[in-house]
Each structure stands twice: as C-alpha cells, then as structure tokens.
Amino acid sequence: MSALSFFKDALYADAYALKKGFLQSRDPRINVAAILLLIIAVLFVRDTAVLVWLYTFCLLLAACSKINLLFFIKRTWFFIPLFSLFIAVPAVFNFVTPGHPVFMFTLLHHPVTITREGLSGATLFVMRVATSVSLVILLSLTTKHTELLKVLRILKIPQLFVMTLGMCYRYIYLFVEIIEHTHLAIKSRAGTNIKHKKGREIATWSITNLWIRSYHLNNQVYSAMLSRGYRGEPQVLHEFKTTLRDWAWITAAAAISTLSFAVY
Amino acid sequence: MSNTIFALRNVHYAHAGKFPALCGIDLTVTAGEKIAVIGANGTGKSTLLSLLDGLIFPDAGRIEAFGRELTEDALQDEKYAQFFRKKIGFVFQNPDVQLFCPTVKEDIVFGPLQLGVSMEETLKRLTVLAELLEITDLLDRAPHQLSIGEKRKAAIAAVWAIDPDIILLDEPTAGLDPLTTRHIVDLITLASSQGKTIITATHDLHIISEISDTVYLFDKSRKIISSGRPETVLADDEFLKKNNLLHIHRHEHKDTVHSHPHLHPDTP
Ligand SMILES: Nc1ncnc2c1ncn2[C@@H]1O[C@H](COP(=O)(O)OP(=O)(O)O)[C@@H](O)[C@H]1O
Ligand SMILES: [Mg+2]
C-alpha cells in the first residue's frame, strides 16, 4: 500500500499551497505563464552556467514561497534520475560522444574513456532536466489543484473538458480509498499469505468490482448534476484578481527568460 | 394552479427492467406538507425520491408534477425543465455523489449558476448558507477532506442554494453524531416553517416526529403499507418490529433476563 499512499501524498498534498508565500499570493494565471516562460528558457539555453543561475533562481523562488528547501530538493531530485540518467549516462562515454579523454578505465577487458565533451553534454542535460522539473514541481506545490483547473478554463480549454478533468481528479481519490479498503478487507479476512492464484483471483474480482462501482457512480453523479439544473454546459465561478505585483512578477520572469537567451 | 405538487397513481418501477423497486404507489403531496418516508433498506425509498425528482420515470402508472405529467419528454422542454429544477431540490443519500466539484464552494454555486441566478445573488446565498451551516472554513476544501457530517452539510448547502420550494432528502442523518443530527433537523424544520414542502426518506425513528406531519411506511412488498400521523405510526410497536425498524434488545438485570423493544436510531 505504500505506493498508494505515496501517490495520494504526491497528488493531494496542498499544505504548501495554503501557506502565504510569494508564489501563493500571486494570481495563478500569472504563475502559470511565468513558469512557462522560464521553462522555455531552460529548454533552449545551451550554457550550463546559465542553467545553474536559473536553477538557483528557482530555489530562491521556492524559499520565498516558504517551501522547506531540503524537502523541495529531495522531492525534485527523486524524480530527476528517472528522467535523465538513462539518457545522460551513456552519452558520457567515448564511443557515444567522441572527444578529449578526461578519465579512463577498463571494463570487461575493454578500455573505456570518459570524454570532456560527453561529460559537459551530460551535465548540461541533467541541469536542464533538473531545472525544468524543479519549476514544474514548484508550480504544483504552490498552486491548489483547483486553481490550476481554473487556469486551464481561462486558457480557453473547453469547460466540459476541464470539468471532466476536475471530476476525474475528484473521484480518483474515492477510488484510491475503495482500493485501500478492499485491500484491507481482503487482508483481514485472508491474512497476508494469500497464495498466488488466489491473490490473482481476488485482484480480478476487486477490479471488476471497481469497474461496476465506477459505472454506478458515473450514473449517479450525472443524476446529481441534472438535479441541479445541468444541461450540457457547465457555468463556473471566476474570481481571479491581478495586482501590480503580479505584473511585476511576470515582467521579471520574461526579463530573465530573454536574458538567458541573450547570454547564449 | 391548485396546491397539489405531486400526484402519483399506481406507479411501478424496476431497476434495469428486472429488479423491482416500487410496485404500485399512490401518493399525493400538497404544498407545505412535511412528509417522512420510512422503511427498511431496499424498500424503495431512494427510488421514489429519484422518480419525484424526474431522474427516472415510471415503467407503469403516472406521476404528475405541478399539474403536468412528468415524463422524459416533458423534461426535454427547456422551460419546463428549468422551472422544475428550480422548484425541486434533492439531497442525495450519498454525499460523495452529490459533491462532484473540486471544492465545496464550487459545489454550492453550481446549482444557482446553472439555473441562471445572477453571480451577485449566488455569492450572497453562498455567504449566508455557509454561515447558517457553519461551513465557512471549509469552502475552499476538496470534498475528500471533509468528515461525513461536513459532507452532508455541504450537500445540503448545495441544494439550499437553489432556493427550491420542494426539498427531497434521502437519509440526511445517517451516520451522524447526535449534535450534527440536531443541526440538520433544525435546518429542515426551519425550511418547513418558511413554507417549503419537505419529503424525507429515513429510518431514523427519533427524528420523524419533528420532520414530518405525515408518515408513509414502505415494506418488503415495495408498497406503502401504512400512513398517518407520526405518533400513530410510531405507537404501533408490533408493526414496526415486523418491518425491521425496531430491535428487540435483551438485557440482563441481576439474575433475570428480560427483553423489551428498543428504538433503533440508525439501522445501517
Ligand atoms: N441501480 C440499481 N440497480 C439494480 N437494483 C437496484 C438499484 N438501485 C436499487 N435497486 C434495488 O431496488 C430496490 C429498492 O432500492 P432503494 O430505492 O435504494 O431502497 P431504499 O432507499 O429504501 O434502501 C432494492 O431491492 C434495491 O436492491
Ligand atoms: Mg436509499
């Protein structure tokens, strides 16, 4: 079940979104745009030093948003290897990226050389992934998911789509709970030493069960929407306010983004 | 218009065409009435409320609402649908079904905004209701972050926000502690004193004398087998026992064992 709890935590932790830090006090629309500008810079810059600056800036933003830096770094670097190592590590070696050798060793009687070009390419790549992942995580930590959904609406994505997305999000939690309860119920009845075949039967059964439940839920939720006057086009509340500080923040983000391009 | 709201004649309904849920219901509801529909689990209470809310339609028999036959076709008429949905509010048995928006606030404003109430008026209702139900602090929370009592209150606020004249409630106090139950019963009686028509499905016998002046008792035959004033229906122990609404509790007093009927506040 720890995978489930991790999933639940990652998806639903909005403790940081409720703090009154820098990003939390900005208009979420502006935050999305500003982070987007920064990510564009990160994806196109070819100088590791500039990336290091951008990464530092991201950490600074996190600190101003009252996020525990240790927690933030741990969380981002937990995801980064998954993205980068598989692609970056092979590129270090001479048979992938030819160039000046920095380090040599033998592996299974074959000489292996790490090249300077390979190494710097890999560093650039890791820094790029690290910085963009950090920016995305920063945005998701400081914005409530409900507000992100509202921003999607404003970006002219059809209301129906956004509403469906919101409802999926809303009910994933319910399903995670149903799975958890089913698992607990099975455990308490059958103990933990379920034989392989039996275990598979139970899993199939509970997935079927989940399927039936989701079908019923779907019907019922639709009834609940009809009952409150839904006729195919949801009407929603808009309540974002943009202040001078928001405009200052987006201008700063745009400036940093342009500057990064100028440097390279 | 006369003040008959619903008139049901010999209504039958089976889920998916094969699981009978109601087998011949006759019922008339007039404006301002307080009605309780009681019965054990699976006797068709929820099905009846869904029929009254125009979410499902009878297989046989006839339902009239506001002097017009309630059918799928009738509700295709935009004007009638809008009128009907504004008139009737339904608090579902399962608040997880009712609260389908990302936050409590969005759920509360959903109904009025759909039904064309102005933004200003909607926000006014939101503030008033949040205060009345003591959920102001919960408005920005997601439904999964609420306790069952808080979910029930949020669901009630979402229906009250439409300001309907007729309110259908499906087991509004199931699973709640006495204090929250009290709070909800008070809200129902307040709405009733403001002239609203209230129809509640419940098996919480403790609350029915407060929330109703007419009780309809459903049994396993999925029909109304008895109706009357709450005191009369509640006085008939044998009858309630036969219908699974009363438990016999055995107690031991010193050496003697005796048993006596006992109101069961909340059969699951
Ligand atoms: N979606 C459904 N599919 C099949 N049968 C159902 C469904 N909903 C209810 N029923 C059946 O209809 C009968 C009445 O159910 P219901 O109206 O929910 O009773 P109550 O609310 O009094 O507990 C029960 O026998 C129940 O099993
Ligand atoms: Mg029911």
Side-chain angles (χ1 to χ4, degrees), chain A residues 12 14 146 153 163 167 170-171 173-174 220 223-231 233-235 237 239, chain B residues 53 55 78 82 85 90 92 96-100 102-103 105 107 111 113-114 119 143-145 158 162:
Chain A
Y12 290 96
D14 46 33
T146 54
R153 276 182 191 132
M163 174 128 189
M167 283 170 69
R170 158 82 181 90
Y171 288 111
Y173 193 85
L174 206 66
Q220 284 185 301
S223 292
M225 292 170 70
L226 281 184
S227 173
R228 281 194 275 153
Y230 176 73
R231 285 196 312 278
E233 188 50 35
Q235 307 291 320
L237 195 64
E239 46 180 359
Chain B
D53 200 32
L55 298 172
E78 286 274 309
Q82 175 117 352
R85 298 289 171 217
F90 184 8
F92 282 67
D96 274 322
V97 162
Q98 181 131 34
L99 303 171
F100 47 76
T103 61
K105 183 194 280 171
D107 254 309
L113 291 183
Q114 293 303 308
M119 186 63 80
H144 68 82
Q145 296 167 323
I162 301 171

Side-chain angles (χ1 to χ4, degrees), chain A residues 216, chain B residues 15-16 19-22 39-48 93 170-171 222:
Chain A
H216 275 295
Chain B
H15 286 280
F19 304 108
L22 288 174
N41 289 322
T43 49
K45 304 181 297 292
S46 298
T47 306
L48 175 69
Q93 181 168 356
D170 200 349
E171 301 189 22
R222 301 185 171 101

Side-chain angles (χ1 to χ4, degrees), chain A:
Chain A
M1 266 320 91
S2 63
L4 266 184
S5 349
F6 178 78
F7 172 70
K8 238 157 95 173
D9 278 356
L11 211 56
Y12 290 96
D14 46 33
Y16 279 111
L18 295 173
K19 289 195 175 180
K20 291 265 174 287
F22 175 75
L23 286 176
Q24 293 91 332
S25 323
R26 300 282 73 77
D27 182 331
R29 291 174 299 180
I30 301 282
N31 280 344
V32 170
I35 297 285
L36 220 59
L37 282 175
L38 292 173
I39 288 176
I40 290 172
V42 169
L43 293 183
F44 287 99
V45 161
R46 293 192 161 184
D47 185 335
T48 313
V50 176
L51 281 175
V52 170
W53 279 113
L54 285 170
Y55 183 68
T56 315
F57 180 65
C58 176
L59 290 183
L60 190 75
L61 277 177
C64 293
S65 306
K66 302 198 173 153
I67 291 173
N68 179 335
L69 279 186
L70 201 65
F71 162 86
F72 182 67
I73 291 168
K74 263 201 247 166
R75 169 162 287 208
T76 43
W77 286 94
F78 177 82
F79 286 108
I80 289 162
L82 296 173
F83 285 96
S84 47
L85 284 184
F86 285 107
I87 311 169
V89 168
V92 176
F93 301 104
N94 64 338
F95 47 85
V96 182
T97 315
H100 301 90
V102 234
F103 186 68
M104 265 185 271
F105 61 95
T106 41
L107 184 76
L108 305 169
H109 308 295
H110 288 286
V112 180
T113 313
I114 291 178
T115 62
R116 195 189 309 149
E117 283 74 8
L119 208 56
S120 70
T123 323
L124 182 73
F125 182 83
V126 171
M127 270 321 287
R128 187 175 283 163
V129 174
T131 314
S132 45
V133 168
S134 300
L135 285 167
V136 169
I137 289 183
L138 181 64
L139 181 68
S140 71
L141 276 177
T142 52
T143 318
K144 279 186 278 179
H145 75 273
T146 54
E147 283 177 342
L148 278 180
L149 285 175
K150 278 193 221 160
V151 173
L152 290 183
R153 276 182 191 132
I154 289 161
L155 297 175
K156 295 286 175 235
I157 291 166
Q159 304 268 306
L160 201 59
F161 178 76
V162 179
M163 174 128 189
T164 313
L165 210 65
M167 283 170 69
C168 287
Y169 192 84
R170 158 82 181 90
Y171 288 111
I172 280 173
Y173 193 85
L174 206 66
F175 284 129
V176 171
E177 273 188 345
I178 292 174
I179 296 171
E180 244 171 12
H181 291 163
T182 316
H183 180 84
L184 272 181
I186 292 171
K187 226 157 106 176
S188 69
R189 254 176 272 159
T192 39
N193 297 324
I194 304 169
K195 290 268 168 359
H196 189 63
K197 182 156 177 287
K198 188 86 191 146
R200 207 162 49 200
E201 272 167 23
I202 291 175
T204 325
W205 177 81
S206 62
I207 286 167
T208 320
N209 192 29
L210 193 67
W211 220 78
I212 293 171
R213 284 209 212 199
S214 80
Y215 174 76
H216 275 295
L217 188 72
N218 191 23
N219 271 345
Q220 284 185 301
V221 169
Y222 185 63
S223 292
M225 292 170 70
L226 281 184
S227 173
R228 281 194 275 153
Y230 176 73
R231 285 196 312 278
E233 188 50 35
Q235 307 291 320
V236 290
L237 195 64
H238 291 300
E239 46 180 359
F240 289 132
K241 272 191 226 97
T242 317
T243 63
L244 212 59
R245 284 172 177 224
D246 291 315
W247 292 115
W249 154 225
I250 184 97
T251 313
I256 288 170
S257 181
T258 324
L259 209 68
S260 314
F261 279 110
V263 169
Y264 111 86

Side-chain angles (χ1 to χ4, degrees), chain B residues 67-110:
Chain B
R68 177 167 173 179
E69 185 171 7
L70 187 60
T71 59
E72 211 158 357
D73 284 343
L75 282 175
Q76 290 299 321
D77 174 0
E78 286 274 309
K79 258 171 97 183
Y80 184 68
Q82 175 117 352
F83 162 82
F84 185 84
R85 298 289 171 217
K86 254 188 188 166
K87 276 277 189 193
I88 303 179
F90 184 8
V91 180
F92 282 67
Q93 181 168 356
N94 179 356
D96 274 322
V97 162
Q98 181 131 34
L99 303 171
F100 47 76
C101 292
T103 61
V104 172
K105 183 194 280 171
E106 284 170 272
D107 254 309
I108 296 176
V109 301
F110 183 89

